[in-house]
Amino acid sequence: MVSKRDPTAWLDNAFFEKVLRQALADKSITVEDFFISLNNDSSTQYASTIYRATVSYWIKGKVEHIALVVKLTSSKVNKLADANSFQNELNLYRNYISRMEDLLEQAGYSDQHLAPRLIYASTDPQPVMILEDVTHKHYEQYKNSMNFEDAKVVAEKLARFHAASFCLFKDVGGKISDDQFSGLFKAKPNQGVKFMEENFGIFAEEIAKWEGFEKYAEKVEQLLPNFLQRGIDIYNPEVESFSLKVLNHGDFHYNNMLVKFDSERSAVLDALFVDFQLSFWGTPAVDLYYLLYLVCNREARDNNRQELIYHYHQKLTETLEKMGHMGATPTLLDLNNDLLRAGFLEVVIVVCFIPFLFADCNAALKVFRETNDAKAYRRQLYSNPQYREILEPLLPYFLHKGFLE
């Protein structure tokens, strides 16, 4: 049976039989019944629609039950997702995640999963992925920014993710097809990047109205002609100025991870990553800037920024050593130099992403429209006192670091 909230009639018994027969390698499986419903947190998913399905099926003379996540990859907001995002994510699941997990297991990190298991994928009748529902393993969506201790757990998992990809590329001889990974910035920008560029201009106009901030507005405005190219230079895997090349998640936001809490729900024990539509090979500075601003809360970022980067680097080098990496290991200085070279991305995140953390949930999708009301609402977000409290001390920091040059 299908929930009234689910408009996809093709998700039927025959479809789930096909999925389970392939996943369990048993052509005799028959589906008795299923229930599918829209995921409660679907409002946070801008490039896909997520459903949860519970399927009852006959196998070897008895009825079994399985919980699945059904991910329909189709942008809901002005085509902000790149047309290649489905293939990008599918390529990562099929060709990299399992191999990276194998490397971690061989290095002694038993049961070190990086993401929910991919069970099935198809493009007919539309792009769909079926993933393991890990709620039975006590993983759940994280719904807010994290304190320092929880962010350290996530940073450690990110370091393992990056280290495994680095070894896959350097030591195992994995062949990387960069054209299969797009990342956020590319020579042909998608609507999402154009939206960010427009917001950059709106931001410059707004802060020009703030007393004492005119020089920052002028600096930001001067960046606009090179906005796209500056981003491309950071995301280009061939740039020699960066010290190392890893597989970045690319959209490393707390919405894009599932966490396991301790028994008292007072601390994060582990994290799994989801939504790899913007993954790409390049400097880990990209994921680290997302970690600082879109995973950490302000207190953790302001008070423990360098300690968190240090912790990440310690776990990165530890994992590389356990994996038997024989080449040069990037130093902490190398990593910090990468962060400096990619500093423009820190500005982009603060200007283009952080204001929307304070957007009203009911208006979140409306801000992507081209209407005057939508643009007026975006202007309003830049004047939010909570946002200004974050922004104002960062502007001189960006200026003195050279990120506004």
Side-chain angles (χ1 to χ4, degrees):
M1 59 183 174
V2 181
S3 165
K4 292 180 179 179
R5 297 177 66 190
D6 178 16
T8 52
W10 58 273
L11 293 172
D12 55 14
N13 279 40
F15 172 79
F16 285 110
E17 278 183 7
K18 183 178 180 180
V19 169
L20 295 178
R21 286 175 180 180
Q22 178 178 306
L24 302 176
D26 188 333
K27 293 182 179 179
S28 69
I29 288 174
T30 58
V31 169
E32 181 179 73
D33 198 5
F34 71 94
F35 178 79
I36 186 167
S37 61
L38 189 65
N39 183 45
N40 289 336
D41 296 314
S42 61
S43 62
T44 64
Q45 308 296 327
Y46 298 122
S48 59
T49 307
I50 308 296
Y51 296 85
R52 293 189 180 276
T54 303
V55 184
S56 303
Y57 62 98
W58 284 92
I59 183 171
K60 301 187 187 310
K62 61 179 181 179
V63 176
E64 298 284 357
H65 307 277
I66 188 170
L68 304 169
V69 170
V70 180
K71 181 175 183 178
L72 304 184
T73 307
S74 56
S75 178
K76 298 180 293 188
V77 278
N78 200 24
K79 298 182 179 178
L80 290 181
D82 188 270
N84 298 321
S85 61
F86 175 79
Q87 289 300 331
N88 194 61
E89 183 169 27
L90 183 57
N91 173 49
L92 185 140
Y93 267 114
R94 285 181 169 170
N95 299 319
Y96 299 98
I97 290 290
S98 60
R99 296 168 69 189
M100 288 158 58
E101 289 180 343
D102 288 344
L103 289 175
L104 287 168
E105 186 174 357
Q106 292 167 19
Y109 298 103
S110 59
D111 199 30
Q112 186 72 209
H113 294 291
L114 301 172
R117 183 168 58 95
L118 176 69
I119 293 174
Y120 175 89
S122 176
T123 56
D124 184 29
Q126 73 178 78
V128 58
M129 290 185 188
I130 308 294
L131 301 169
E132 170 191 19
D133 188 337
V134 293
T135 53
H136 71 285
K137 296 180 180 178
H138 308 293
Y139 285 91
E140 59 187 85
Q141 183 135 27
Y142 203 91
K143 298 179 180 179
N144 211 334
S145 53
M146 298 184 182
N147 62 34
F148 174 56
E149 292 302 324
D150 289 345
K152 280 178 66 178
V153 174
V154 173
E156 180 171 340
K157 196 61 172 284
L158 181 64
R160 307 252 190 265
F161 183 94
H162 285 170
S165 71
F166 184 80
C167 282
L168 182 65
F169 179 67
K170 286 287 187 182
D171 301 325
V172 183
K175 294 182 179 180
I176 309 301
S177 298
D178 287 318
D179 59 347
Q180 294 178 342
F181 292 94
S182 53
L184 180 62
F185 281 92
K186 56 189 75 67
K188 185 179 179 181
N190 61 21
Q191 289 297 104
V193 172
K194 293 176 182 176
F195 174 80
M196 290 160 51
E197 188 174 17
E198 182 180 82
N199 285 343
F200 217 73
I202 292 174
F203 171 77
E205 292 171 5
E206 287 305 300
I207 63 172
K209 304 172 186 175
W210 303 352
E211 185 177 352
F213 286 82
E214 296 83 2
K215 65 179 179 180
Y216 301 113
E218 184 179 341
K219 287 283 188 180
V220 172
E221 190 174 1
Q222 290 173 354
L223 291 174
L224 268 171
N226 298 314
F227 178 87
L228 180 60
Q229 190 58 51
R230 292 284 293 272
I232 291 172
D233 290 344
I234 293 170
Y235 280 72
N236 184 353
E238 304 305 323
V239 172
E240 297 296 331
S241 59
F242 292 116
S243 62
L244 73 157
K245 178 176 170 180
V246 301
L247 181 61
N248 280 262
H249 179 283
D251 192 14
F252 201 63
H253 191 290
Y254 62 76
N255 276 334
N256 290 337
M257 61 186 67
L258 304 170
V259 301
K260 179 187 288 187
F261 289 101
D262 63 9
S263 58
E264 297 179 352
R265 296 185 60 80
S266 60
V268 170
L269 298 177
D270 189 28
L272 297 176
F273 305 150
V274 297
D275 287 342
F276 298 98
Q277 295 155 340
L278 293 176
S279 295
F280 77 104
W281 290 86
T283 171
V286 171
D287 277 351
L288 289 173
Y289 274 131
Y290 274 80
L291 172 70
L292 289 171
Y293 283 93
L294 298 171
V295 175
C296 289
N297 62 25
R298 184 184 175 189
E299 182 180 5
R301 182 173 60 252
D302 288 352
N303 298 335
N304 306 102
R305 176 188 178 114
Q306 291 308 129
E307 186 178 354
L308 190 64
I309 299 299
Y310 175 81
H311 179 73
Y312 163 87
H313 181 261
Q314 290 289 101
K315 296 304 178 182
L316 179 77
T317 54
E318 172 192 289
T319 308
L320 290 175
E321 290 172 6
K322 288 188 176 182
M323 286 183 164
H325 175 60
M326 301 297 291
T329 300
T331 67
L332 182 60
L333 180 60
D334 290 332
L335 184 62
N336 277 298
N337 282 335
D338 276 13
L339 286 163
L340 279 173
R341 292 188 182 101
F344 177 69
L345 180 62
E346 185 172 3
V347 180
V348 169
I349 289 173
V350 170
V351 172
C352 300
F353 296 169
I354 298 301
F356 295 92
L357 297 180
F358 304 105
D360 180 89
C361 291
N362 296 323
L365 296 182
K366 296 178 182 177
V367 299
F368 297 103
R369 297 174 182 169
E370 294 298 319
T371 64
N372 290 334
D373 286 347
K375 292 180 181 179
Y377 184 73
R378 281 184 258 160
R379 290 183 185 278
Q380 180 184 328
L381 289 177
Y382 286 120
S383 299
N384 184 307
Q386 291 175 284
Y387 175 65
R388 285 194 61 165
E389 189 178 343
I390 293 172
L391 173 73
E392 290 185 10
L394 285 173
L395 286 172
Y397 170 81
F398 292 157
L399 179 68
H400 299 154
K401 284 286 187 181
F403 297 166
L404 301 181
E405 297 301 321

